[in-house]
Amino acid sequence: MQLLKVDTLEQAREKLLQAVGDDWLTVCEVPLREARERVLAEDLYGIRDIPEFRRSMVDGYALQAKDTMGAGESIPVFLEVIEDVMIGTETTSVIRPGTCAYVPTGGMLPEGADSCVMVEYCEQFDASHIAVSQSVSPGRHAVEIGEDSKKGDLLFRRGQRLRPQEIGVLAAEGLTHVKVYAPLKIYVISTGDELTAPGEELKRGKIYDINTLALTALAEKHGFLVSGTRTVPDVYEELKEAITEARKISDLVVISGGSSKGKKDMTALLIDELSDPGVFTHGLALKPGKPTILGMDKKSHTLMVGLPGHPVAAMAVFEMLPVWLKRQQEGESEKLAVPAVLDGNVPGTPGRKMLLYVELKKNQEGYLASPVFGKSGLMSTMTRADGYAVVDLNQEGLKAGDQIWVQIF
Amino acid sequence: MQLLKVDTLEQAREKLLQAVGDDWLTVCEVPLREARERVLAEDLYGIRDIPEFRRSMVDGYALQAKDTMGAGESIPVFLEVIEDVMIGTETTSVIRPGTCAYVPTGGMLPEGADSCVMVEYCEQFDASHIAVSQSVSPGRHAVEIGEDSKKGDLLFRRGQRLRPQEIGVLAAEGLTHVKVYAPLKIYVISTGDELTAPGEELKRGKIYDINTLALTALAEKHGFLVSGTRTVPDVYEELKEAITEARKISDLVVISGGSSKGKKDMTALLIDELSDPGVFTHGLALKPGKPTILGMDKKSHTLMVGLPGHPVAAMAVFEMLPVWLKRQQEGESEKLAVPAVLDGNVPGTPGRKMLLYVELKKNQEGYLASPVFGKSGLMSTMTRADGYAVVDLNQEGLKAGDQIWVQIF
């Protein structure tokens, strides 16, 4: 293992892709009821025309548009009503010139009808006739067969995150289940003799464990399934046992703390010992996030990620590497960012990418982004921020007025 | 009940606020582990200084900055190492001029030390001395007591949605539980003789029920708890029984379908019959979304919302009314919108607000928004869209080049 062989973000990502290969993810079938926010694991094609029959979009009368030519409030057109179509039933009539049929919203249009007039423009004239006071063009208030989507159409690509509307389309097709990626199982380990579980008495010199809960929340936000969490002191054998147990039930083990160049630097040694062919990234050219360690255990197919101990840095690296990797593997498109104009200068940090935390203020044209400065370990930097921009800082840094793209938390 | 007394969106919202009053929501306490995405039900103040002791941000030596004045690679400064501070323990030494102490990242600074030098700039000189080759200013690499947040500080306001970083801050305070709003319980009823459950055989003239699954997904996306769903035919007594049962276990009953002016218009009559003092909104000046019905049953404290039958319209009204109401009640700030420039014209619909569905395309400056047109019942309008803008359309409509604010789905 080479110590602190610092990778750029791009190098680390490239190595991650190679390390996990193409069989890290598994596919499962879930009921539509539970498919929200899951990511489609296959291209999905329409299995029927939607709609399968011509439907009315309004409560009204199905007719032939040419019959209404010239009709208006003062010169109505009189048509014979030959059917009262019930919703959910097949029509029996055929509309010919001079005739029409009542059709409720969503009801089937009878053969021969090419459009509908809303009831608001129709008046009962006698027992079998109505007066129509509006002229419509063909197709008006009617939905054609397959107008929403056609049998055989590509509905959604692999990688599509299922929003409520996609669930709706799958329901419209009559599907009850859908193939999505099984959530990656992640185990969250926090190391440090100073860590105390929230709720316990805090001894002088110790702090409450932030990373276990914050990383668990962040992982779940991004669709990981947390297979377990554990807080361990800086004891080699204990940490080794924790990682060994964790990888039995996980696709990914993250270990935060213990990754800087200090006296108790065990995470790197352990990831190296427990992975084959060993640590492939030790150090990341990212601010915050330098003390990052990556290794892959080919045998158990478990990715091991050593994260910085500082919560803000740990969360930054988690978003930039494991979350990025998951989206890449699942084929999800890039997350939408918000354009904003910097309202202050940002000094340069040559050679390193930086996560710039910003507060957004809306104005008429868009957003102003105020950098939230603060020492990198401070949680308040992140709670005050609406999001972050990943910026490449050259010698000069960024200036007020520069545009950045902000990822919203 | 007045039929189709159309309200503007603002009027309907104002009536909703009055109808539910200030005791619609309830508060509950949840473990931090389950608090993600929940909304804080009280202002939260710091119960301790964070950090509670002065900490080092690096692996290095705690010292007095003035001792390093003039130090550099060619002219190091020599200091006596008087303590090796262990992480998580209290320090015992006092740093005086000419002395220093090793401190790991996160370790406690000894009294008298005002800054740290990273180990990278220190070299062991003899058994008890190091050579320091960097000059630092007071405060460097040190976090002061309360620098992240202070005891008594307002940490978060009521209405704050808990993101992973807020969970982290609550953990840092040592909290194990937090007071959040209990999720509103919603019951989703879909009506229509044409509705068939996905998976069942589809008879000619019938369609699969989209709204039950799509509205359930939408409700869960926005933090509602679905207390039940039911699909009922257009039979007065059946629908009445369904609503009556639903309101026993729900804060909100939504009924989609059956709300237009057709022959089977029962939802309005039923909401009127089952609410006291009856329907207060019947018709909404929103496109899509006109056939919307609102009533509140004071006795069971249940809001009843009749939604349009068209899935797209039902989802639009659900976002614009119940979701809006929930956010208002919980005190959550407005959801962040994305500025975009229209790349096409949008014809006017005087007197009505409109949900304009758009596809976003990124360019150098920001986003172009292409309106996704399509008949209002078509689900493909929504699946092709990245989000929507709520636009007030005057006689002229909107023109290519106009700026809109897009809510991302």
Side-chain angles (χ1 to χ4, degrees):
Chain A
M1 177 177 65
Q2 287 189 291
L3 278 176
L4 282 175
K5 189 169 49 67
V6 172
D7 278 340
T8 63
L9 185 60
E10 290 69 25
Q11 287 168 334
R13 287 178 167 179
E14 190 50 47
K15 289 179 180 176
L16 274 178
L17 284 179
Q18 284 180 13
V20 299
D22 52 14
D23 55 352
W24 196 40
L25 297 181
T26 53
V27 173
C28 63
E29 212 170 50
V30 293
L32 279 196
R33 177 70 180 78
E34 295 157 25
R36 189 178 68 82
E37 285 299 305
R38 304 295 289 271
V39 176
L40 211 54
E42 59 177 4
D43 292 346
L44 216 77
Y45 294 87
I47 54 177
R48 59 184 76 243
D49 291 322
I50 308 284
E52 287 195 291
F53 52 90
R54 297 190 312 138
R55 301 178 72 193
S56 172
M57 297 175 60
V58 296
D59 290 344
Y61 289 86
L63 42 71
Q64 296 191 347
K66 61 176 190 280
D67 273 353
T68 68
M69 211 158 39
E73 262 184 69
S74 48
I75 332 156
V77 164
F78 299 91
L79 297 175
E80 186 189 356
V81 182
I82 61 169
E83 189 183 0
D84 187 350
V85 177
M86 304 293 282
I87 186 85
T89 61
E90 202 162 357
T91 56
T92 50
S93 56
V94 177
I95 302 300
R96 296 182 205 284
T99 66
C100 67
Y102 175 80
V103 182
T105 305
M108 188 185 286
L109 293 194
E111 213 188 305
D114 62 10
S115 53
C116 296
V117 174
M118 290 170 77
V119 284
E120 284 85 339
Y121 299 98
C122 302
E123 218 170 312
Q124 198 71 34
F125 179 69
D126 62 27
S128 60
H129 289 80
I130 56 163
V132 178
S133 59
Q134 194 189 38
S135 168
V136 292
S137 46
R140 182 71 177 152
H141 296 317
V143 182
E144 293 301 312
I145 291 169
E147 190 171 345
D148 206 346
S149 62
K150 287 188 179 55
K151 184 174 173 175
D153 272 2
L154 176 64
L155 295 177
F156 309 118
R157 287 194 186 283
R158 180 188 86 87
Q160 170 75 49
R161 186 173 49 87
L162 299 174
R163 303 171 298 177
Q165 53 264 54
E166 278 84 29
I167 305 275
V169 167
L170 299 180
E173 295 279 342
L175 295 172
T176 57
H177 289 72
V178 62
K179 274 189 186 156
V180 296
Y181 287 110
L184 285 163
K185 293 190 286 296
I186 186 173
Y187 202 105
V188 179
I189 297 176
S190 305
T191 69
D193 289 340
E194 77 279 26
L195 300 181
T196 306
E200 287 178 18
E201 191 203 343
L202 193 64
K203 295 210 176 90
R204 183 100 180 124
K206 297 195 187 295
I207 58 163
Y208 284 116
D209 172 11
I210 296 176
N211 285 353
T212 302
L213 278 163
L215 288 172
T216 294
L218 189 59
E220 290 182 343
K221 172 183 169 182
H222 291 289
F224 291 88
L225 178 71
V226 177
S227 54
T229 68
R230 190 156 157 194
T231 311
V232 291
D234 294 316
V235 177
Y236 195 90
E237 284 307 320
E238 274 197 54
L239 184 54
K240 182 174 177 177
E241 191 261 336
I243 298 175
T244 306
E245 288 305 304
R247 71 176 171 182
K248 287 182 191 164
I249 55 170
S250 313
D251 303 301
L252 175 65
V253 178
V254 297
I255 305 118
S256 71
S259 52
S260 77
K261 238 172 70 179
K263 289 187 179 169
K264 292 173 179 170
D265 184 11
M266 299 177 309
T267 309
L269 292 171
L270 271 169
I271 292 183
D272 201 50
E273 183 183 334
L274 295 175
S275 67
D276 175 20
V279 163
F280 57 81
T281 292
H282 191 235
L284 190 64
L286 181 73
K287 184 186 171 185
K290 196 179 176 195
T292 295
I293 301 152
L294 302 173
M296 179 86 194
D297 179 42
K298 297 276 180 207
K299 225 176 294 167
S300 64
H301 222 73
T302 310
L303 180 66
M304 289 183 267
V305 180
L307 296 173
H310 284 313
V312 174
M315 292 168 85
V317 174
F318 189 82
E319 289 232 14
M320 301 308 287
L321 293 181
V323 171
W324 174 88
L325 180 64
K326 177 176 184 287
R327 289 180 77 101
Q328 281 289 314
Q329 291 266 308
E330 293 182 341
E332 228 194 312
S333 56
E334 211 188 327
K335 216 183 132 201
L336 204 131
V338 176
V341 174
L342 265 181
D343 75 350
N345 298 326
V346 181
T349 54
R352 283 212 275 177
K353 282 221 158 105
M354 180 184 169
L355 261 70
L356 180 67
Y357 297 96
V358 296
E359 218 179 320
L360 294 179
K361 284 167 208 150
K362 200 172 170 178
N363 63 17
Q364 280 217 313
E365 293 89 43
Y367 290 100
L368 277 182
S370 304
V372 179
F373 290 114
K375 291 174 180 162
S376 75
L378 305 188
M379 286 300 291
S380 49
T381 323
M382 271 184 94
T383 54
R384 283 162 55 206
D386 294 302
Y388 63 88
V390 181
V391 290
D392 240 324
L393 295 174
N394 54 20
Q395 206 71 39
E396 290 102 44
L398 292 170
K399 291 194 183 56
D402 284 353
Q403 189 188 260
I404 56 172
W405 291 88
V406 181
Q407 286 290 347
I408 303 304
F409 281 128
Chain B
M1 177 178 62
Q2 287 189 292
L3 277 177
L4 282 176
K5 187 171 49 67
V6 172
D7 278 338
T8 63
L9 185 59
E10 290 69 26
Q11 288 168 333
R13 287 178 166 180
E14 188 52 46
K15 290 179 181 175
L16 274 178
L17 284 179
Q18 284 180 11
V20 300
D22 51 15
D23 54 355
W24 197 40
L25 296 181
T26 53
V27 173
C28 63
E29 213 169 47
V30 294
L32 279 197
R33 178 69 181 78
E34 294 156 26
R36 189 178 69 83
E37 285 298 303
R38 305 294 289 269
V39 176
L40 212 55
E42 59 178 2
D43 293 345
L44 215 76
Y45 294 87
I47 54 176
R48 60 182 75 242
D49 292 322
I50 308 284
E52 287 195 290
F53 52 89
R54 297 192 311 137
R55 302 179 73 194
S56 172
M57 295 175 62
V58 295
D59 290 345
Y61 289 86
L63 41 70
Q64 295 191 347
K66 62 174 189 282
D67 273 352
T68 68
M69 208 154 46
E73 263 184 67
S74 48
I75 332 156
V77 164
F78 299 91
L79 297 176
E80 186 190 355
V81 183
I82 60 170
E83 189 182 0
D84 185 351
V85 177
M86 305 291 285
I87 186 85
T89 62
E90 200 162 0
T91 57
T92 51
S93 56
V94 176
I95 302 300
R96 294 182 207 285
T99 67
C100 68
Y102 175 80
V103 182
T105 305
M108 189 186 285
L109 293 194
E111 212 188 307
D114 62 8
S115 53
C116 295
V117 174
M118 291 170 78
V119 284
E120 285 85 342
Y121 299 98
C122 302
E123 218 171 310
Q124 198 74 32
F125 178 67
D126 62 26
S128 61
H129 288 79
I130 56 163
V132 177
S133 59
Q134 193 188 41
S135 167
V136 292
S137 46
R140 182 71 177 153
H141 296 318
V143 182
E144 294 300 311
I145 292 170
E147 191 171 341
D148 205 347
S149 62
K150 288 188 179 54
K151 184 175 171 174
D153 273 1
L154 177 63
L155 295 178
F156 309 118
R157 287 195 186 282
R158 180 187 87 86
Q160 170 75 49
R161 187 172 50 85
L162 299 175
R163 304 171 298 177
Q165 53 263 56
E166 277 83 31
I167 306 277
V169 166
L170 299 178
E173 295 280 340
L175 295 171
T176 58
H177 288 72
V178 62
K179 274 188 184 156
V180 296
Y181 287 111
L184 285 163
K185 293 189 287 295
I186 186 172
Y187 202 105
V188 178
I189 297 175
S190 305
T191 69
D193 289 339
E194 77 278 27
L195 300 182
T196 306
E200 287 179 17
E201 190 204 344
L202 194 65
K203 296 212 174 88
R204 183 99 180 123
K206 297 196 189 291
I207 57 164
Y208 284 116
D209 172 12
I210 297 177
N211 286 353
T212 301
L213 277 164
L215 289 172
T216 293
L218 189 58
E220 290 182 345
K221 172 183 168 182
H222 291 288
F224 290 88
L225 178 71
V226 177
S227 54
T229 68
R230 189 158 157 190
T231 310
V232 291
D234 295 317
V235 177
Y236 194 90
E237 285 307 320
E238 275 196 55
L239 184 55
K240 181 173 176 177
E241 191 261 339
I243 298 174
T244 306
E245 288 304 305
R247 70 175 172 182
K248 287 181 189 163
I249 54 169
S250 313
D251 303 301
L252 175 65
V253 179
V254 297
I255 306 116
S256 71
S259 51
S260 78
K261 238 171 72 180
K263 288 187 179 171
K264 292 172 178 169
D265 184 11
M266 300 176 310
T267 309
L269 291 170
L270 271 169
I271 292 184
D272 201 51
E273 183 183 335
L274 295 174
S275 67
D276 174 19
V279 163
F280 56 81
T281 291
H282 191 238
L284 189 64
L286 181 72
K287 183 186 175 187
K290 196 179 176 194
T292 295
I293 300 153
L294 302 172
M296 178 88 194
D297 180 42
K298 298 275 181 208
K299 226 178 291 167
S300 64
H301 220 73
T302 310
L303 180 67
M304 288 183 265
V305 180
L307 296 174
H310 283 314
V312 174
M315 292 170 87
V317 174
F318 189 82
E319 289 232 16
M320 300 309 285
L321 294 180
V323 172
W324 174 88
L325 180 64
K326 176 176 184 287
R327 289 180 77 101
Q328 281 289 313
Q329 292 265 308
E330 294 183 339
E332 228 194 312
S333 56
E334 209 187 328
K335 215 182 134 202
L336 205 131
V338 176
V341 174
L342 264 181
D343 75 350
N345 298 327
V346 181
T349 54
R352 282 212 275 177
K353 280 217 158 105
M354 179 183 171
L355 262 70
L356 180 67
Y357 298 96
V358 296
E359 218 180 321
L360 294 180
K361 284 167 208 149
K362 202 171 168 176
N363 63 17
Q364 280 218 312
E365 293 89 44
Y367 289 100
L368 277 182
S370 304
V372 180
F373 290 114
K375 289 173 181 163
S376 75
L378 305 188
M379 286 300 290
S380 49
T381 323
M382 271 184 95
T383 54
R384 283 164 54 206
D386 294 303
Y388 63 89
V390 182
V391 290
D392 239 325
L393 296 174
N394 53 22
Q395 207 70 39
E396 290 103 44
L398 292 170
K399 291 193 183 57
D402 284 352
Q403 189 189 258
I404 57 172
W405 290 88
V406 181
Q407 286 290 347
I408 304 304
F409 282 128

